[in-house]
Amino acid sequence: MNFKSSLLASVVGLVFAAPTLAAPKNIIYMIGDGMGPAYTTGYRYFKDDPSTKVVDPTIFDSILVGMAHTYPDDDTVVTDSAAGATALSTGTKSYNGAIAVDTHKEDLETMLEVAKKKGKTTALVATSQINHATPASFASHNESRRNYDEIANDYIDNKIAGKLPVDLMLGGGTKYFIREDRNLVSEFKEAGYQYVDELAKLDTLNKIPAMGLFAEVGLPYAIDEEPKRLTKMTKTALSLLENQNDKGFFLMIEGSQIDWCGHANDIACAMREMDDFAESIMLAKAFVDDNPDTILVITADHSTGGLTLGANGQYRWERDVVAKVKGSGDEIAKALSESKDVKATWETLTGLDYDSATELKVKEALGLGSKALSLVVKDAISDASFTGWTTGGHTAIDVQVFAHGKGKEAFIGSQNNTAIADKLIGFIKQ
Ligand SMILES: [Zn+2]
């Protein structure tokens, strides 16, 4: 066999081998919202030990298997998180804004629903509100991601084979679950769910079903308060799910706010979110190693901000600048506006010099309000680190696919995002 035909045979072999792979019992699906390839590359430099010459690989490098195409079924190739998550959860592309409905606004069955029908335990973990677009597209159906109350209602009203769809939910969103017209938290408690509303009490959850809502909307950024809140929630979820059900579980974990930092064009914020997500992945990977009848699949719904490493004609990207920043742009702006010594606050929180050009910009922005001030902070950090951004929205570039454990071979190569869902649903149905 010459090289060409052996290559062809191996490609064909892959295509035909995938459906016959034995299905793993447990599925851990992790989505880095907005986590395009520049984020994982930036994270590698960000985490690197600067005292050695070699840039060390990260957890992402150890499990990379392929790429995914993210375009929606819309009049654009740039997806939003709702269409992205719908493709990743149902295997069908839809329009931007769609929550597990097709372009005719008809409900699409999600992999979480298939898992529930098959008798598996189901779980959603996010640092956004738990009814935000990505988790929502696994357990609810709505023509618009903005219908937050209706989506939250679905988590208790959308019965799967007579049962509630999600056995474990950890994230934010009390604003949508405790309302004047309806108190869903009380309804969940009546349905037998344990409930906590403080991250510090996460460990008191000792059985499933359970729910933890730790913020009115999304949790605070990793860089601003609890740097490892996703890691903590992941740890609790995995320990509650381990050996809980003979039929296994489906767990979706979202690194929700990588995207939010990307929209804000805030590199220091994004790298701290990456750190929390990466540590959560380490826990999931260790779980797979201890429980080999498990697959871990990780991808992103799209990239955000058009992030790149290098800007303004310079052949540089300065991770040290990013590493010194001690808050999100918004929190640093808040501290500056409340400070009696703006120079000292600037230098402490940004790690940058307070030179006369900076002073001029900060003084002008102080009169314009917190948004203008936050922009000055983030621009200074981006300029000093040579971080580039093309947009405050999303971009259409391919995202990476990572896999570890039983059946990971199915995810090798360049694939549509819907193919990831199709393969996982295939495993769940086996
Ligand atoms: Zn976004």
Side-chain angles (χ1 to χ4, degrees), residues 336-367:
L336 288 169
S337 64
E338 290 164 359
S339 174
K340 291 199 173 74
D341 186 347
V342 173
K343 179 178 188 286
T345 304
W346 173 277
E347 287 174 350
T348 307
L349 297 182
T350 68
L352 299 170
D353 290 340
Y354 195 67
D355 56 25
S356 54
T358 304
E359 187 177 357
L360 267 178
K361 285 182 201 162
V362 169
K363 282 193 169 152
E364 194 195 352
L366 275 166

PDB file of all heavy atoms in Angstrom, residues 336-367:
ATOM      1  N   LEU A 336     -10.690  53.275  41.297  1.00  0.00           N
ATOM      2  CA  LEU A 336     -10.104  54.583  40.953  1.00  0.00           C
ATOM      3  C   LEU A 336     -11.064  55.709  41.276  1.00  0.00           C
ATOM      4  O   LEU A 336     -10.668  56.748  41.815  1.00  0.00           O
ATOM      5  CB  LEU A 336      -9.747  54.624  39.463  1.00  0.00           C
ATOM      6  CG  LEU A 336      -8.536  53.794  39.013  1.00  0.00           C
ATOM      7  CD1 LEU A 336      -8.478  53.731  37.491  1.00  0.00           C
ATOM      8  CD2 LEU A 336      -7.239  54.366  39.577  1.00  0.00           C
ATOM      9  N   SER A 337     -12.343  55.503  40.965  1.00  0.00           N
ATOM     10  CA  SER A 337     -13.309  56.585  41.176  1.00  0.00           C
ATOM     11  C   SER A 337     -13.556  56.834  42.660  1.00  0.00           C
ATOM     12  O   SER A 337     -13.983  57.909  43.047  1.00  0.00           O
ATOM     13  CB  SER A 337     -14.620  56.294  40.436  1.00  0.00           C
ATOM     14  OG  SER A 337     -15.216  55.147  40.975  1.00  0.00           O
ATOM     15  N   GLU A 338     -13.272  55.810  43.500  1.00  0.00           N
ATOM     16  CA  GLU A 338     -13.475  55.980  44.950  1.00  0.00           C
ATOM     17  C   GLU A 338     -12.162  56.338  45.670  1.00  0.00           C
ATOM     18  O   GLU A 338     -12.164  56.553  46.883  1.00  0.00           O
ATOM     19  CB  GLU A 338     -14.027  54.671  45.544  1.00  0.00           C
ATOM     20  CG  GLU A 338     -15.462  54.388  45.124  1.00  0.00           C
ATOM     21  CD  GLU A 338     -15.889  52.936  45.382  1.00  0.00           C
ATOM     22  OE1 GLU A 338     -15.056  52.144  45.868  1.00  0.00           O
ATOM     23  OE2 GLU A 338     -17.047  52.620  45.077  1.00  0.00           O
ATOM     24  N   SER A 339     -11.051  56.397  44.925  1.00  0.00           N
ATOM     25  CA  SER A 339      -9.741  56.541  45.565  1.00  0.00           C
ATOM     26  C   SER A 339      -9.376  57.990  45.874  1.00  0.00           C
ATOM     27  O   SER A 339      -9.683  58.897  45.110  1.00  0.00           O
ATOM     28  CB  SER A 339      -8.673  55.935  44.647  1.00  0.00           C
ATOM     29  OG  SER A 339      -7.390  56.175  45.178  1.00  0.00           O
ATOM     30  N   LYS A 340      -8.672  58.163  46.995  1.00  0.00           N
ATOM     31  CA  LYS A 340      -8.153  59.489  47.336  1.00  0.00           C
ATOM     32  C   LYS A 340      -6.749  59.660  46.770  1.00  0.00           C
ATOM     33  O   LYS A 340      -6.229  60.755  46.710  1.00  0.00           O
ATOM     34  CB  LYS A 340      -8.131  59.657  48.860  1.00  0.00           C
ATOM     35  CG  LYS A 340      -9.523  59.741  49.444  1.00  0.00           C
ATOM     36  CD  LYS A 340      -9.498  60.360  50.850  1.00  0.00           C
ATOM     37  CE  LYS A 340     -10.903  60.596  51.370  1.00  0.00           C
ATOM     38  NZ  LYS A 340     -11.562  59.312  51.766  1.00  0.00           N
ATOM     39  N   ASP A 341      -6.105  58.543  46.396  1.00  0.00           N
ATOM     40  CA  ASP A 341      -4.777  58.589  45.791  1.00  0.00           C
ATOM     41  C   ASP A 341      -4.819  57.780  44.489  1.00  0.00           C
ATOM     42  O   ASP A 341      -4.490  56.587  44.467  1.00  0.00           O
ATOM     43  CB  ASP A 341      -3.741  58.021  46.772  1.00  0.00           C
ATOM     44  CG  ASP A 341      -2.314  58.165  46.257  1.00  0.00           C
ATOM     45  OD1 ASP A 341      -2.130  58.476  45.050  1.00  0.00           O
ATOM     46  OD2 ASP A 341      -1.374  57.945  47.060  1.00  0.00           O
ATOM     47  N   VAL A 342      -5.273  58.443  43.432  1.00  0.00           N
ATOM     48  CA  VAL A 342      -5.517  57.762  42.156  1.00  0.00           C
ATOM     49  C   VAL A 342      -4.236  57.135  41.613  1.00  0.00           C
ATOM     50  O   VAL A 342      -4.254  56.008  41.116  1.00  0.00           O
ATOM     51  CB  VAL A 342      -6.144  58.745  41.137  1.00  0.00           C
ATOM     52  CG1 VAL A 342      -6.237  58.113  39.757  1.00  0.00           C
ATOM     53  CG2 VAL A 342      -7.533  59.176  41.615  1.00  0.00           C
ATOM     54  N   LYS A 343      -3.118  57.852  41.742  1.00  0.00           N
ATOM     55  CA  LYS A 343      -1.835  57.335  41.235  1.00  0.00           C
ATOM     56  C   LYS A 343      -1.481  56.005  41.903  1.00  0.00           C
ATOM     57  O   LYS A 343      -1.171  55.022  41.225  1.00  0.00           O
ATOM     58  CB  LYS A 343      -0.727  58.364  41.499  1.00  0.00           C
ATOM     59  CG  LYS A 343       0.656  57.936  41.044  1.00  0.00           C
ATOM     60  CD  LYS A 343       1.679  59.051  41.295  1.00  0.00           C
ATOM     61  CE  LYS A 343       3.036  58.753  40.697  1.00  0.00           C
ATOM     62  NZ  LYS A 343       3.800  57.728  41.425  1.00  0.00           N
ATOM     63  N   ALA A 344      -1.574  55.965  43.236  1.00  0.00           N
ATOM     64  CA  ALA A 344      -1.211  54.733  43.966  1.00  0.00           C
ATOM     65  C   ALA A 344      -2.179  53.608  43.615  1.00  0.00           C
ATOM     66  O   ALA A 344      -1.757  52.453  43.423  1.00  0.00           O
ATOM     67  CB  ALA A 344      -1.225  55.007  45.466  1.00  0.00           C
ATOM     68  N   THR A 345      -3.458  53.918  43.512  1.00  0.00           N
ATOM     69  CA  THR A 345      -4.457  52.890  43.185  1.00  0.00           C
ATOM     70  C   THR A 345      -4.207  52.332  41.790  1.00  0.00           C
ATOM     71  O   THR A 345      -4.237  51.120  41.571  1.00  0.00           O
ATOM     72  CB  THR A 345      -5.885  53.483  43.282  1.00  0.00           C
ATOM     73  OG1 THR A 345      -6.048  54.020  44.596  1.00  0.00           O
ATOM     74  CG2 THR A 345      -6.946  52.444  43.006  1.00  0.00           C
ATOM     75  N   TRP A 346      -3.932  53.253  40.842  1.00  0.00           N
ATOM     76  CA  TRP A 346      -3.631  52.820  39.467  1.00  0.00           C
ATOM     77  C   TRP A 346      -2.429  51.876  39.448  1.00  0.00           C
ATOM     78  O   TRP A 346      -2.471  50.798  38.859  1.00  0.00           O
ATOM     79  CB  TRP A 346      -3.368  54.052  38.583  1.00  0.00           C
ATOM     80  CG  TRP A 346      -2.888  53.705  37.202  1.00  0.00           C
ATOM     81  CD1 TRP A 346      -1.602  53.428  36.830  1.00  0.00           C
ATOM     82  CD2 TRP A 346      -3.692  53.562  36.027  1.00  0.00           C
ATOM     83  NE1 TRP A 346      -1.557  53.139  35.484  1.00  0.00           N
ATOM     84  CE2 TRP A 346      -2.825  53.209  34.967  1.00  0.00           C
ATOM     85  CE3 TRP A 346      -5.056  53.710  35.763  1.00  0.00           C
ATOM     86  CZ2 TRP A 346      -3.282  53.004  33.663  1.00  0.00           C
ATOM     87  CZ3 TRP A 346      -5.514  53.507  34.462  1.00  0.00           C
ATOM     88  CH2 TRP A 346      -4.628  53.161  33.432  1.00  0.00           C
ATOM     89  N   GLU A 347      -1.347  52.296  40.116  1.00  0.00           N
ATOM     90  CA  GLU A 347      -0.107  51.510  40.058  1.00  0.00           C
ATOM     91  C   GLU A 347      -0.273  50.152  40.740  1.00  0.00           C
ATOM     92  O   GLU A 347       0.224  49.144  40.245  1.00  0.00           O
ATOM     93  CB  GLU A 347       1.048  52.303  40.681  1.00  0.00           C
ATOM     94  CG  GLU A 347       1.470  53.450  39.759  1.00  0.00           C
ATOM     95  CD  GLU A 347       2.516  54.382  40.364  1.00  0.00           C
ATOM     96  OE1 GLU A 347       2.799  54.272  41.577  1.00  0.00           O
ATOM     97  OE2 GLU A 347       3.040  55.233  39.607  1.00  0.00           O
ATOM     98  N   THR A 348      -1.018  50.128  41.852  1.00  0.00           N
ATOM     99  CA  THR A 348      -1.212  48.871  42.574  1.00  0.00           C
ATOM    100  C   THR A 348      -2.081  47.897  41.764  1.00  0.00           C
ATOM    101  O   THR A 348      -1.769  46.717  41.668  1.00  0.00           O
ATOM    102  CB  THR A 348      -1.915  49.133  43.932  1.00  0.00           C
ATOM    103  OG1 THR A 348      -1.174  50.130  44.613  1.00  0.00           O
ATOM    104  CG2 THR A 348      -1.992  47.870  44.765  1.00  0.00           C
ATOM    105  N   LEU A 349      -3.164  48.413  41.213  1.00  0.00           N
ATOM    106  CA  LEU A 349      -4.136  47.498  40.596  1.00  0.00           C
ATOM    107  C   LEU A 349      -3.813  47.142  39.147  1.00  0.00           C
ATOM    108  O   LEU A 349      -4.128  46.044  38.702  1.00  0.00           O
ATOM    109  CB  LEU A 349      -5.558  48.083  40.697  1.00  0.00           C
ATOM    110  CG  LEU A 349      -6.076  48.269  42.132  1.00  0.00           C
ATOM    111  CD1 LEU A 349      -7.509  48.803  42.115  1.00  0.00           C
ATOM    112  CD2 LEU A 349      -6.016  46.955  42.914  1.00  0.00           C
ATOM    113  N   THR A 350      -3.196  48.073  38.406  1.00  0.00           N
ATOM    114  CA  THR A 350      -2.868  47.746  37.004  1.00  0.00           C
ATOM    115  C   THR A 350      -1.431  47.257  36.850  1.00  0.00           C
ATOM    116  O   THR A 350      -1.109  46.603  35.865  1.00  0.00           O
ATOM    117  CB  THR A 350      -3.039  48.965  36.069  1.00  0.00           C
ATOM    118  OG1 THR A 350      -2.044  49.931  36.403  1.00  0.00           O
ATOM    119  CG2 THR A 350      -4.430  49.572  36.167  1.00  0.00           C
ATOM    120  N   GLY A 351      -0.559  47.605  37.807  1.00  0.00           N
ATOM    121  CA  GLY A 351       0.856  47.260  37.670  1.00  0.00           C
ATOM    122  C   GLY A 351       1.567  48.126  36.644  1.00  0.00           C
ATOM    123  O   GLY A 351       2.725  47.879  36.310  1.00  0.00           O
ATOM    124  N   LEU A 352       0.884  49.137  36.136  1.00  0.00           N
ATOM    125  CA  LEU A 352       1.450  50.018  35.096  1.00  0.00           C
ATOM    126  C   LEU A 352       1.851  51.356  35.702  1.00  0.00           C
ATOM    127  O   LEU A 352       1.315  51.770  36.732  1.00  0.00           O
ATOM    128  CB  LEU A 352       0.419  50.259  33.988  1.00  0.00           C
ATOM    129  CG  LEU A 352      -0.066  49.033  33.225  1.00  0.00           C
ATOM    130  CD1 LEU A 352      -1.247  49.393  32.328  1.00  0.00           C
ATOM    131  CD2 LEU A 352       1.070  48.429  32.400  1.00  0.00           C
ATOM    132  N   ASP A 353       2.795  52.053  35.023  1.00  0.00           N
ATOM    133  CA  ASP A 353       3.202  53.391  35.475  1.00  0.00           C
ATOM    134  C   ASP A 353       2.061  54.384  35.286  1.00  0.00           C
ATOM    135  O   ASP A 353       1.296  54.284  34.332  1.00  0.00           O
ATOM    136  CB  ASP A 353       4.403  53.884  34.654  1.00  0.00           C
ATOM    137  CG  ASP A 353       5.663  53.099  34.990  1.00  0.00           C
ATOM    138  OD1 ASP A 353       5.688  52.471  36.075  1.00  0.00           O
ATOM    139  OD2 ASP A 353       6.602  53.098  34.166  1.00  0.00           O
ATOM    140  N   TYR A 354       2.001  55.331  36.208  1.00  0.00           N
ATOM    141  CA  TYR A 354       1.014  56.408  36.088  1.00  0.00           C
ATOM    142  C   TYR A 354       1.737  57.616  35.501  1.00  0.00           C
ATOM    143  O   TYR A 354       2.075  58.575  36.195  1.00  0.00           O
ATOM    144  CB  TYR A 354       0.416  56.715  37.460  1.00  0.00           C
ATOM    145  CG  TYR A 354      -0.850  57.539  37.420  1.00  0.00           C
ATOM    146  CD1 TYR A 354      -2.016  57.019  36.880  1.00  0.00           C
ATOM    147  CD2 TYR A 354      -0.888  58.831  37.955  1.00  0.00           C
ATOM    148  CE1 TYR A 354      -3.195  57.759  36.855  1.00  0.00           C
ATOM    149  CE2 TYR A 354      -2.056  59.580  37.943  1.00  0.00           C
ATOM    150  CZ  TYR A 354      -3.203  59.038  37.385  1.00  0.00           C
ATOM    151  OH  TYR A 354      -4.365  59.790  37.370  1.00  0.00           O
ATOM    152  N   ASP A 355       2.012  57.542  34.183  1.00  0.00           N
ATOM    153  CA  ASP A 355       2.748  58.641  33.549  1.00  0.00           C
ATOM    154  C   ASP A 355       1.792  59.796  33.197  1.00  0.00           C
ATOM    155  O   ASP A 355       0.588  59.696  33.428  1.00  0.00           O
ATOM    156  CB  ASP A 355       3.507  58.136  32.314  1.00  0.00           C
ATOM    157  CG  ASP A 355       2.602  57.450  31.306  1.00  0.00           C
ATOM    158  OD1 ASP A 355       1.376  57.742  31.281  1.00  0.00           O
ATOM    159  OD2 ASP A 355       3.109  56.609  30.537  1.00  0.00           O
ATOM    160  N   SER A 356       2.346  60.860  32.654  1.00  0.00           N
ATOM    161  CA  SER A 356       1.507  62.063  32.457  1.00  0.00           C
ATOM    162  C   SER A 356       0.411  61.828  31.409  1.00  0.00           C
ATOM    163  O   SER A 356      -0.694  62.354  31.542  1.00  0.00           O
ATOM    164  CB  SER A 356       2.387  63.261  32.079  1.00  0.00           C
ATOM    165  OG  SER A 356       3.181  62.928  30.956  1.00  0.00           O
ATOM    166  N   ALA A 357       0.702  61.017  30.381  1.00  0.00           N
ATOM    167  CA  ALA A 357      -0.322  60.728  29.375  1.00  0.00           C
ATOM    168  C   ALA A 357      -1.474  59.941  30.006  1.00  0.00           C
ATOM    169  O   ALA A 357      -2.659  60.210  29.742  1.00  0.00           O
ATOM    170  CB  ALA A 357       0.281  59.932  28.218  1.00  0.00           C
ATOM    171  N   THR A 358      -1.117  58.981  30.882  1.00  0.00           N
ATOM    172  CA  THR A 358      -2.141  58.188  31.583  1.00  0.00           C
ATOM    173  C   THR A 358      -2.968  59.096  32.492  1.00  0.00           C
ATOM    174  O   THR A 358      -4.198  59.014  32.526  1.00  0.00           O
ATOM    175  CB  THR A 358      -1.465  57.079  32.421  1.00  0.00           C
ATOM    176  OG1 THR A 358      -0.657  56.290  31.550  1.00  0.00           O
ATOM    177  CG2 THR A 358      -2.493  56.204  33.104  1.00  0.00           C
ATOM    178  N   GLU A 359      -2.260  59.958  33.215  1.00  0.00           N
ATOM    179  CA  GLU A 359      -2.941  60.862  34.147  1.00  0.00           C
ATOM    180  C   GLU A 359      -3.990  61.712  33.423  1.00  0.00           C
ATOM    181  O   GLU A 359      -5.114  61.876  33.906  1.00  0.00           O
ATOM    182  CB  GLU A 359      -1.909  61.754  34.843  1.00  0.00           C
ATOM    183  CG  GLU A 359      -2.520  62.601  35.939  1.00  0.00           C
ATOM    184  CD  GLU A 359      -1.488  63.458  36.696  1.00  0.00           C
ATOM    185  OE1 GLU A 359      -0.284  63.339  36.395  1.00  0.00           O
ATOM    186  OE2 GLU A 359      -1.918  64.233  37.561  1.00  0.00           O
ATOM    187  N   LEU A 360      -3.613  62.215  32.249  1.00  0.00           N
ATOM    188  CA  LEU A 360      -4.561  63.010  31.455  1.00  0.00           C
ATOM    189  C   LEU A 360      -5.809  62.208  31.107  1.00  0.00           C
ATOM    190  O   LEU A 360      -6.937  62.685  31.269  1.00  0.00           O
ATOM    191  CB  LEU A 360      -3.889  63.465  30.142  1.00  0.00           C
ATOM    192  CG  LEU A 360      -3.206  64.817  30.119  1.00  0.00           C
ATOM    193  CD1 LEU A 360      -2.567  65.060  28.757  1.00  0.00           C
ATOM    194  CD2 LEU A 360      -4.221  65.945  30.439  1.00  0.00           C
ATOM    195  N   LYS A 361      -5.583  60.972  30.623  1.00  0.00           N
ATOM    196  CA  LYS A 361      -6.708  60.116  30.224  1.00  0.00           C
ATOM    197  C   LYS A 361      -7.591  59.753  31.412  1.00  0.00           C
ATOM    198  O   LYS A 361      -8.815  59.747  31.317  1.00  0.00           O
ATOM    199  CB  LYS A 361      -6.179  58.818  29.576  1.00  0.00           C
ATOM    200  CG  LYS A 361      -5.652  59.013  28.162  1.00  0.00           C
ATOM    201  CD  LYS A 361      -5.201  57.672  27.588  1.00  0.00           C
ATOM    202  CE  LYS A 361      -4.220  57.881  26.447  1.00  0.00           C
ATOM    203  NZ  LYS A 361      -3.445  56.666  26.159  1.00  0.00           N
ATOM    204  N   VAL A 362      -6.969  59.411  32.532  1.00  0.00           N
ATOM    205  CA  VAL A 362      -7.734  59.013  33.715  1.00  0.00           C
ATOM    206  C   VAL A 362      -8.557  60.192  34.230  1.00  0.00           C
ATOM    207  O   VAL A 362      -9.741  60.043  34.544  1.00  0.00           O
ATOM    208  CB  VAL A 362      -6.794  58.464  34.825  1.00  0.00           C
ATOM    209  CG1 VAL A 362      -7.536  58.304  36.146  1.00  0.00           C
ATOM    210  CG2 VAL A 362      -6.176  57.138  34.386  1.00  0.00           C
ATOM    211  N   LYS A 363      -7.936  61.382  34.276  1.00  0.00           N
ATOM    212  CA  LYS A 363      -8.654  62.568  34.790  1.00  0.00           C
ATOM    213  C   LYS A 363      -9.857  62.903  33.931  1.00  0.00           C
ATOM    214  O   LYS A 363     -10.934  63.231  34.436  1.00  0.00           O
ATOM    215  CB  LYS A 363      -7.701  63.757  34.898  1.00  0.00           C
ATOM    216  CG  LYS A 363      -6.833  63.628  36.145  1.00  0.00           C
ATOM    217  CD  LYS A 363      -6.095  64.907  36.486  1.00  0.00           C
ATOM    218  CE  LYS A 363      -5.478  64.799  37.882  1.00  0.00           C
ATOM    219  NZ  LYS A 363      -4.287  65.630  38.027  1.00  0.00           N
ATOM    220  N   GLU A 364      -9.678  62.777  32.609  1.00  0.00           N
ATOM    221  CA  GLU A 364     -10.802  63.042  31.699  1.00  0.00           C
ATOM    222  C   GLU A 364     -11.924  62.014  31.916  1.00  0.00           C
ATOM    223  O   GLU A 364     -13.092  62.369  32.023  1.00  0.00           O
ATOM    224  CB  GLU A 364     -10.312  62.998  30.247  1.00  0.00           C
ATOM    225  CG  GLU A 364     -11.318  63.592  29.280  1.00  0.00           C
ATOM    226  CD  GLU A 364     -11.015  63.242  27.818  1.00  0.00           C
ATOM    227  OE1 GLU A 364      -9.942  62.658  27.545  1.00  0.00           O
ATOM    228  OE2 GLU A 364     -11.874  63.534  26.973  1.00  0.00           O
ATOM    229  N   ALA A 365     -11.526  60.742  32.029  1.00  0.00           N
ATOM    230  CA  ALA A 365     -12.518  59.672  32.184  1.00  0.00           C
ATOM    231  C   ALA A 365     -13.232  59.739  33.531  1.00  0.00           C
ATOM    232  O   ALA A 365     -14.408  59.384  33.634  1.00  0.00           O
ATOM    233  CB  ALA A 365     -11.846  58.312  32.007  1.00  0.00           C
ATOM    234  N   LEU A 366     -12.523  60.203  34.566  1.00  0.00           N
ATOM    235  CA  LEU A 366     -13.150  60.335  35.892  1.00  0.00           C
ATOM    236  C   LEU A 366     -14.386  61.232  35.821  1.00  0.00           C
ATOM    237  O   LEU A 366     -15.360  61.021  36.540  1.00  0.00           O
ATOM    238  CB  LEU A 366     -12.148  60.886  36.918  1.00  0.00           C
ATOM    239  CG  LEU A 366     -11.234  59.849  37.588  1.00  0.00           C
ATOM    240  CD1 LEU A 366     -10.083  60.532  38.312  1.00  0.00           C
ATOM    241  CD2 LEU A 366     -12.012  58.959  38.555  1.00  0.00           C
ATOM    242  N   GLY A 367     -14.340  62.199  34.913  1.00  0.00           N
ATOM    243  CA  GLY A 367     -15.487  63.085  34.745  1.00  0.00           C
ATOM    244  C   GLY A 367     -16.585  62.492  33.880  1.00  0.00           C
ATOM    245  O   GLY A 367     -17.713  62.994  33.859  1.00  0.00           O
TER     246      GLY A 367
END
